């Protein structure tokens, strides 16, 4: 697909996401030059920053949601294990983890190559991210603060099956 056509489709996807937020009466920020949309969703405990990136060159929409804290250096190996355990049970989306700085973020990606994505897809992306983040953000936080061991994290995950 040509770069011009990719950009036109990406712009349409971007506008659909904005329209979805408008339809939901949701407060969000547009970053038109970068095709990025940002907002905050209130979860059960921590606020969730949600970022939608529309990548024309790769023909994808990516939702990223960083945790509002970073894992301390002494807990990073335990957090790597916890992230792997959490990801194993996820159906759609995953947690990314950067061991170098302790950042954990949730990611959902959807391709729009040769297809038209409706607003329901974007609502689903938010729902999938919100429910997964809500389930795990307090566990990652407790692990980081020493309020939970990695063994307890694993046990809690296994008891949910």
């Amino acid at each position: 697909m040509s770069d011009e056509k990719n950009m036109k489709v990406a712009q349409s996807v971007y506008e659909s996401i904005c329209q979805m937020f408008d339809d939901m009466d949701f407060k969000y920020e547009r970053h038109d030059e970068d095709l990025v949309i940002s907002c905050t969703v209130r979860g059960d405990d921590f606020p969730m920053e949600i970022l939608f990136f529309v990548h024309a060159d790769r023909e994808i929409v990516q939702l990223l949601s960083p945790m509002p804290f970073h894992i301390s250096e002494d807990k990073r190996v335990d957090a790597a294990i916890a992230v792997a355990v959490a990801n194993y049970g996820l159906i759609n989306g995953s947690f990314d983890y950067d061991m170098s700085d302790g950042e954990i973020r949730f990611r959902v990606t959807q391709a729009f190559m040769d297809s038209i994505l409706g607003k329901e897809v974007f609502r689903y992306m938010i729902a999938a991210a919100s429910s997964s983040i809500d389930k795990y953000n307090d566990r990652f936080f407790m692990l980081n603060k020493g309020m939970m061991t990695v063994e307890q994290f694993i046990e809690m995950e296994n008891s949910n099956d």
Side-chain angles (χ1 to χ4, degrees), residues 6-126:
N6 279 2
M7 186 50 82
K8 187 179 266 189
V9 173
Q11 187 67 45
S12 175
V13 168
Y14 177 76
E15 293 301 331
S16 290
I17 298 169
C18 292
Q19 185 62 53
M20 179 228 19
F21 280 125
D22 290 340
D23 292 349
M24 294 169 49
D25 247 359
F26 219 81
K27 300 233 184 288
Y28 65 97
E29 291 183 39
R30 295 175 63 121
H31 307 275
D32 295 341
E33 63 284 346
D34 299 318
L35 300 180
V36 174
I37 301 158
S38 60
C39 69
T40 302
V41 175
R42 187 76 185 147
D44 289 339
D45 35 37
F46 293 102
M48 294 175 253
E49 180 183 8
I50 303 285
L51 303 161
F52 273 99
F53 295 86
V54 180
H55 298 282
D57 56 336
R58 294 167 38 195
E59 300 180 86
I60 61 169
V61 176
Q62 195 169 49
L63 180 154
L64 297 177
S65 182
M67 294 288 133
F69 55 87
H70 285 229
I71 302 296
S72 58
E73 202 165 335
D74 63 320
K75 298 290 184 186
R76 290 191 185 160
V77 172
D78 286 350
I81 294 167
V83 167
V85 168
N87 279 338
Y88 185 77
L90 293 175
I91 295 170
N92 201 345
S94 63
F95 288 99
D96 297 330
Y97 180 51
D98 185 341
M99 292 252 326
S100 69
D101 68 2
E103 180 188 30
I104 299 174
R105 66 183 183 189
F106 191 78
R107 174 175 39 94
V108 180
T109 305
Q110 181 65 51
F112 57 82
M113 179 182 355
D114 295 327
S115 63
I116 299 172
L117 300 179
K119 291 181 263 186
E120 288 304 317
V121 170
F122 309 125
R123 282 189 187 98
Y124 171 78
M125 290 173 76
I126 292 172

